[in-house]
Structures are given as structure tokens and as C-alpha cells.
Amino acid sequence: MRGLRLTAVLGVSALLAAGCGGLGSDHSDALVTMGFGLPDEHATARVAVFREANPGVDLRISEGALDEQQFLSAVAAGDPPDLVYAERRKLGGYAARGAVQSLDACVREHGVDLGLFREAALRQVTYRGEVYGLPEFSSVRLMIVNNPVVRAAGLDPAALSTSDWAGMGEVADRLARVGGGRVERIGFDPKVPEFLPLWAKANGAELIGPGARLDDPRVVEAVRHTTDLVARQGGWASFKAFRDTFDQFGANNQYVTGQLAAMPMDSWYLNTLATNSPDADVTIAPFTDRNGQVLTESGGQAWAIPKGARHPEVACRFLVTMTDTQTWVTAATARRDALAEAGRPYGGTFTANRAADERIFREVFAPLGNPILAEGVPVALSLQDQAFALPPSPAASELVRAWEGAVNRVLVGQQEPGEAMAQAQREAERALKRVGGR
């Protein structure tokens, strides 16, 4: 569709009013990052590698999630950080708006082999033939099925499929436990609106790209299918309220307590589940499209250098170091050793660097007999190079808001799927016209 094609560049000076949200308070020679944190050895060990190789650099990690408005305002004000750590799906938009620099010269200078990066991840940070970011972690989406709950319903966990849309409602009915308006178990969580791109793709439709339309009948059908699954399991208010009670990152998570039978999930959750509930009885399998073909979506972050960065050459060294194969192996080893001290297994580190993953899972991987990792890691690895990723768009953030808003309106009963996605399409066209000058 013309309205969702990648088109013109909008100068960042026209994006936002200048002077708000900049980093102007720091006029030192420090190398400043935005959107990155130091939560574990994956971050601290890689930063340590850079610091050791660059002892004269005053690196300042401005911890916290990326605030997009603050970042774009800083760029517009001519006072950006030296590096930005952002979702890959948004970097194309930043590139189209001129908010980040091409890394082509940086990559050439440091001899970075772009062929090492997973194709979907690299494509997501490439705009009009130029690379604007170096991908970091790489997560894929797969199915995690709660075996005891499914077996208790008289079903075979291995036979649970996302291909038979007509039959999924009945399966969800058998697995769910809803009574008196209260949800006591979710049978199947379709994970919308976040996973709409996966469901739309499963029905043969794209949300971004040439020919894509948010009001495509196949997209509307995907919205109807997933929101109907929620509606028949108590409706959105009860469904969400119950889901919000999950101890998702704890030992009493939804698989242990039997609060959930099945859902698609990001692969990083395998490590969380294995660490907190090593004895959870689950089946890990690929998500499949309506033809029964394996389908998954790739996601993750990337490093980029904003327009106007004060230290682009040092910033280049930093992002090359952070995504380098040996750096990843060093970080993975540090992470494994830290977990081992706590008596926990190490389920590997999924990166967008194929060579790094090969070494990590050959040399560092230490599942310690954990059955979740033994079953799940091979599935996740097998999906990495089959994944699709949303292509870059100058209005990426606005498009995501448009379709997620539409699904939410359907979930709460404000609109029917067709009406909601038609509105989303109009919002998408306005956003693209605004950022593309059309």
C-alpha cells in the first residue's frame, strides 16, 4: 500500500520544539548513552570490555528505558547523547527522520562483517540501503504449553496448534476456567495487541510495507480471531485483571499455579521459567501459521549514533565492541558463572550475532540438566534464522500505536474489528503523510 511505504525524510528540526529534553547539562568530553542499563552481566561485562580497551574514555551510562520524546527532543535541540539504545523496529523511523546517523563508514572503518548478523535483525535497522544500527539481543516468539493443565482437559500438549483458527475457540473453552464472571484460568492467551503482527502474518498479511493496509480483511480477521478468544474467556476486563495477578517473574508463575494453559511468548522467557521453576512441566513448540508452517517474529534492540553526537568516532568503537563476537562470549561466560554461583542453570544468550550464538551455545551454554532449557533452547535456536521482522518505517511508532489502539478498542467493546482497523488505517495514513511530507 502506498500509505505504508517507506518514503521521504523529515528533518528532525521539524519534529519537535527545540530546547526540551536535551542533554545540554553535560558539556564534558564524556561519552553519554541513552536507553541502556546495567541490570546483569550481559551489560556490565560488555561495558567492562570497552572500558578496558578504552581507559581514557569517560563513559557515562544514563540508565533507564528510552524515552522517545526526550531523545527526539534532544536531537532536535542539537544536544543529543552519543549513543542511543532502542527497539530495532523504531530505528528505521529514526533513520527516516534523520535522527540517527548512517553507520556505513563506522562499519567499514572497523571491518565489521555484517554477514554475521541475523538477516531479519539487520534488515530492520537498514534504511534505503544504509545501516543505521547494530543489532543486539534477538528474541523470537514461540509457544509454551502447560502440560498438566492441557492433559487434565483430555488434550495432547504436543497436538496443541495455532493453525486451526476455527477450532481454537473450542480448545480455549476446554482449557479455560470461567465461572460467574470470574476467570480462574486462561485457556489460551493470544497476547494481543502486542502479538498482532504475528497473528496477521499467520493469516498472510503484513502490517508495514508495500501493499500493506491495517484494514486488510486478513488483518481484520486476525483481530477478530484473537479478540474473540479473549471474549469467550471472560471478556477483556476480567481476562486482563486475572492475567495481571500472575507472578510472571517469580516461582509462583502462571505455569506452576495452573493459571494458564498456553500462550505464545518471547524466547527470553525460557530462561526466566527455567530459573524460577525448573520443574515446571511444559511443552515448547513453534508457533504456526494457518497452513501449519512454522512462523515467528524477531525482536530486540540495537545501538545507534544520533545525529549531532559529539563523539561519533568513540561512539562507533563502543557499539562495535558491544556487538562483537568475543565481547558477547565474554559476557555470556560472566553471566553463566554468576548464575552458577547461585546454583542456577545458564540457558544461553540469544543475540543477533550468529557467530556469537554459535560459540555461546557450543562453549558456554550450561543447562545443568534443566528440562525446560533442554527442550526449549533448540527450538528457539532453530527459529532464529526463520524469523520475520517488521520492516523499518518513518512512522514506526505511530503505526504501532494505531494498530494497538484499534485492538484495544475491540477488546473493550468500543468498536467492531472492521471499524477499528479502518480507523487505524486512517491514523496510519495521516502519520505517514505527516512524517513523509505527503
Side-chain angles (χ1 to χ4, degrees), residues 209-224:
R213 291 188 64 90
L214 298 183
D215 58 357
D216 184 313
R218 295 168 297 179
V219 178
V220 174
E221 187 178 19
V223 173
R224 188 182 308 281

Side-chain angles (χ1 to χ4, degrees), residues 22-94:
L23 301 178
S25 59
D26 188 351
H27 289 293
S28 69
D29 286 332
L31 186 74
V32 180
T33 73
M34 179 183 278
F36 188 64
L38 301 168
D40 59 29
E41 295 77 13
H42 287 134
T44 56
R46 287 184 297 143
V47 167
V49 170
F50 174 80
R51 283 188 160 133
E52 183 176 358
N54 299 272
V57 174
D58 179 11
L59 174 63
R60 298 187 184 178
I61 306 291
S62 184
E63 292 202 57
L66 179 65
D67 182 324
E68 183 174 84
Q69 291 302 313
Q70 182 187 26
F71 166 62
L72 293 174
S73 295
V75 174
D79 193 19
D82 294 296
L83 291 135
V84 63
Y85 185 69
E87 288 183 63
R88 294 198 313 254
R89 66 179 182 174
K90 293 184 177 180
L91 265 181
Y94 300 159

Side-chain angles (χ1 to χ4, degrees), residues 234-306:
W236 181 239
S238 298
F239 185 98
K240 183 176 184 302
F242 179 69
R243 191 172 66 181
D244 288 347
T245 67
F246 289 178
D247 180 25
Q248 183 160 275
F249 299 99
N252 293 316
N253 59 70
Q254 63 277 14
Y255 288 98
V256 171
T257 59
Q259 294 171 298
L260 172 75
M263 68 175 177
M265 189 58 184
D266 292 301
S267 55
W268 54 258
Y269 192 65
L270 295 177
N271 271 316
T272 300
L273 194 59
T275 298
N276 295 323
S277 309
D279 297 323
D281 183 7
V282 296
T283 292
I284 296 119
F287 183 97
T288 51
D289 67 14
R290 298 192 72 178
N291 295 317
Q293 300 300 308
V294 170
L295 179 68
T296 192
E297 180 182 2
S298 170
Q301 297 77 30
W303 285 100
I305 302 176

Side-chain angles (χ1 to χ4, degrees), residues 31 33 50 59 61 83 303 314-322:
L31 186 74
T33 73
F50 174 80
L59 174 63
I61 306 291
L83 291 135
W303 285 100
V314 184
C316 171
R317 292 208 305 269
F318 179 85
L319 57 80
V320 168
T321 299
M322 293 292 281

Side-chain angles (χ1 to χ4, degrees), residues 398-415:
E398 292 87 345
L399 297 181
V400 172
R401 281 197 292 272
W403 75 59
E404 290 193 351
V407 174
N408 282 327
R409 291 193 295 275
V410 178
L411 285 168
V412 299
Q414 288 182 352
Q415 289 179 321

